[in-house]
Amino acid sequence: MRKLQVPPTVMVLGGVVSVQFGGALAAQLIQRLGAVGTVSLRLALAVPILLVIARPRLRQRTRRDFLAVVAFGIVLGLMNLSFYLSLERLPLGVAVTIEFIGPLGLAAAMSRKRRDLIAVAGAALGVVLVNGHELSAVNWLGVGFAGLAGVLWACYILLSAETGRRFAQLDGLALAIVVSAFITAPLGIATAGGELLHWHSLVTGLAIALLSSVLPYSLETLALRKMKPAVFGILMSLEPAVGATAGFLILSQRLAIIQLAGMACVVAASIAITRTPRTEAPDI
């Protein structure tokens, strides 16, 4: 019997949709558990699933291997925590758009081409527009958390590449999730307490773990084996738009025309950067 072959583009798009709708569910659970409780529950529930899937091997690992995966896990945990803290204060589409500046800046820095620097400037303009025309109404703390998540996303890209060189398949990711859960769990227990064990929290948290961690990470890993990084980057550029759609459908979050225009600037800048030929550049 012939095996079903899923095109890598479908895998990436599936991952993009999955992670953004997972973010929309997370925004709902944040109202019950808070950002810290939600991210700690998500990571804790993702741990056993990824460990069963990956079954990482710890034998014959060097000290540098463990240092790489620990650093990766810390950045992964802090990145998710920062992003969820921004979701407490900003619409999903706005938070995703601001966060996207991190990987764009990294790609431009690695390229060092004038065209890419101009594209990042356009993306920066998009971030200004996506916050709306009334600057007095902007939640600057939320913008700060989204920006921090973007910086950590850039670090995540670099550490993900380093971990991927040292660990096969999903081994490094599974171990990194363990580290992330270890550093966020105490904070989640302290802030959310017994609400973490409520059946509604557990069911929603499991859905978020699958949609935001297990499914997108697995699909992206499989897709990158079959497609060019530039194509992957262009498809990932759709994240702000998908995030805005998920926010509208699940959270009834409506964005103004000026905010949609800002989002379009960021998406266009991302496509321009990822289409630039380069020998070595990070995948976004």
Side-chain angles (χ1 to χ4, degrees):
M1 184 175 180
R2 188 175 181 180
K3 293 183 179 180
L4 178 64
Q5 297 292 330
V6 180
T9 52
V10 174
M11 292 183 187
V12 176
L13 291 175
V16 168
V17 172
S18 177
V19 76
Q20 294 307 324
F21 277 82
L25 285 179
Q28 290 184 324
L29 189 58
I30 283 173
Q31 298 175 10
R32 182 187 187 97
L33 301 180
V36 180
T38 300
V39 74
S40 64
L41 183 61
R42 166 195 158 183
L43 293 172
L45 293 176
V47 165
I49 300 174
L50 280 171
L51 287 179
V52 169
I53 294 174
R55 297 180 182 179
R57 297 180 181 180
L58 300 179
R59 293 183 179 181
Q60 298 180 339
R61 293 297 181 188
T62 66
R63 181 172 176 270
R64 289 182 177 272
D65 291 341
F66 286 114
L67 286 176
V69 82
V70 167
F72 184 32
I74 292 174
V75 167
L76 181 61
L78 293 178
M79 178 185 71
N80 282 289
L81 180 57
S82 300
F83 182 67
Y84 278 27
L85 286 169
S86 73
L87 286 184
E88 277 189 318
R89 298 162 174 86
L90 299 173
L92 177 60
V94 173
V96 173
T97 302
I98 297 172
E99 183 193 29
F100 215 72
I101 286 292
L104 285 184
L106 176 62
M110 297 289 285
S111 169
R112 298 180 182 178
K113 293 185 177 181
R114 182 177 299 178
R115 171 183 170 181
D116 290 346
L117 295 177
I118 293 174
V120 169
L125 173 62
V127 168
V128 174
L129 295 176
V130 84
N131 281 288
H133 61 281
E134 296 182 5
L135 293 181
S136 60
V138 173
N139 189 312
W140 292 108
L141 185 57
V143 172
F145 280 127
L148 176 59
V151 172
L152 291 167
W153 191 358
C155 297
Y156 164 88
I157 292 171
L158 297 175
L159 289 170
S160 176
E162 177 65 19
T163 303
R165 286 190 288 268
R166 295 178 177 275
F167 294 84
Q169 306 297 329
L170 298 175
D171 288 19
L173 174 63
L175 294 173
I177 289 288
V178 173
V179 175
S180 299
F182 182 78
I183 64 174
T184 57
L187 298 174
I189 294 172
T191 57
E195 285 293 327
L196 292 170
L197 300 179
H198 190 279
W199 70 268
H200 179 270
S201 300
L202 290 173
V203 171
T204 308
L206 180 60
I208 295 169
L210 291 171
L211 289 172
S212 296
S213 295
V214 178
L215 188 58
Y217 292 152
S218 301
L219 288 174
E220 289 169 11
T221 300
L222 294 173
L224 278 170
R225 297 175 185 170
K226 303 178 181 179
M227 70 190 310
K228 295 179 179 180
V231 177
F232 176 78
I234 291 172
L235 294 174
M236 291 293 287
S237 303
L238 298 174
E239 283 209 0
V242 177
T245 302
F248 173 73
L249 293 177
I250 297 181
L251 305 172
S252 299
Q253 294 176 342
R254 296 177 179 271
L255 299 182
I257 296 297
I258 189 173
Q259 292 176 302
L260 294 175
M263 189 176 298
C265 288
V266 175
V267 172
S270 178
I271 293 175
I273 290 175
T274 51
R275 289 190 64 182
T276 301
R278 52 176 61 84
T279 56
E280 294 182 5
D283 304 336
I284 63 172

